[in-house]
Amino acid sequence: MVVGVLVGLLWGTLAVPTLAQSLRGKATADVDLAARLKEVEANPKLAETLYKSGEQVAAICANCHGEGGNSTKPDIPNLAGQNPAYLLEQLRKFADGQRRNDFMEGMIKVLKSDEKVGMVLFYARQNVVVHKSASSPALLAKGKDYFNKICWRCHAEDGRGNEKFARIAGQQPAYLNTTLKRYRAGVGARTDPLMASSTKLMTDADIDAVVAYVSSME
Ligand code: HEC
Ligand code: HEC
């Protein structure tokens, strides 16, 4: 990158685009976190070391995401039991500005790549504390119906996701509600083409029902 900037300075008018290119490179290229995760998972000793550093990082995150990633704030997501590849992908999206949240965008800038990998290894091994739903059996049944028609295709029958898709089982209800409405809107803080098409036809009442059911899944 230094070379790029120097070359740009030497070439005068080329300086601006060259610098812009190197900065863009810095913001997105970084380390390939998904590849690093695979590397670490294949090396149990390294995984254990990073797990411990991840546990230390998680002590800071606990202020909002709760002890062991079990949030006690309905609008802040649990990280416990979450798929490591999914979590890293979300950190990448915050870093790229593809997913917007002022606090999280700033927070992850101070984390080193291996701290991020250790953190997701730590959270993946924590159990999710699921709270019994206070919703009516009719609402839960409606939500279950909807889940079994659409959501299970990607998030799996038990709602725990897989390599590619988020765990949604036991997720915080207010967070689920906001997130589904953002996807449905298709613009703003968080968008995704697969989730846009999955929520396009949902009414607010459908969302209430799915949220009641999904947040109570173990
Ligand atoms: C001040 C509160 C706060 C702190 C501290 C905090 N977060 Fe967050 N985090 C949030 C909020 C709020 C969201 C949800 C943003 C949204 O609505 O999309 C979030 C979302 C996330 C997500 C996306 C989860 C998902 O299910 O998609 C990840 C990953 C995450 N945070 C990791 C961390 C890590 C790692 C730390 C500690 C280094 C941390 N957060 C510290 C508030 C916080
Ligand atoms: C075709 C595949 C697909 C289907 C069907 C689908 N999803 Fe998703 N879902 C995804 C993908 C991909 C993401 C990650 C998008 C991103 O990065 O923001 C996601 C993310 C989510 C999230 C955010 C999780 C988090 O921790 O922030 C929620 C909540 C969610 N889906 C709920 C649902 C519900 C409820 C349904 C059924 C109405 C559903 N999804 C159907 C693919 C799907």
Side-chain angles (χ1 to χ4, degrees), residues 26-91:
K26 190 169 186 284
T28 51
D30 199 63
V31 169
D32 182 341
L33 291 172
R36 181 65 179 155
L37 174 64
K38 287 221 165 76
E39 212 172 279
V40 172
E41 280 174 332
N43 180 342
K45 222 174 138 204
L46 177 60
E48 210 45 47
T49 309
L50 294 195
Y51 177 96
K52 290 203 181 100
S53 77
E55 191 170 12
Q56 281 167 2
V57 170
I60 308 167
C61 320
N63 284 316
C64 292
H65 292 283
E67 284 301 320
N70 274 296
S71 171
T72 53
K73 303 183 173 87
D75 55 338
I76 298 187
N78 298 332
L79 302 178
Q82 190 54 277
N83 181 304
Y86 166 77
L87 285 184
L88 287 178
E89 174 65 3
Q90 296 309 307
L91 294 186

Side-chain angles (χ1 to χ4, degrees), residues 61 64-65 77 86-87 99 101 103-104 107 119 175 182:
C61 320
C64 292
H65 292 283
Y86 166 77
L87 285 184
R99 179 172 176 185
N101 176 274
F103 183 84
M104 285 306 307
M107 178 97 237
M119 178 275 289
Y175 171 76
R182 283 176 173 164

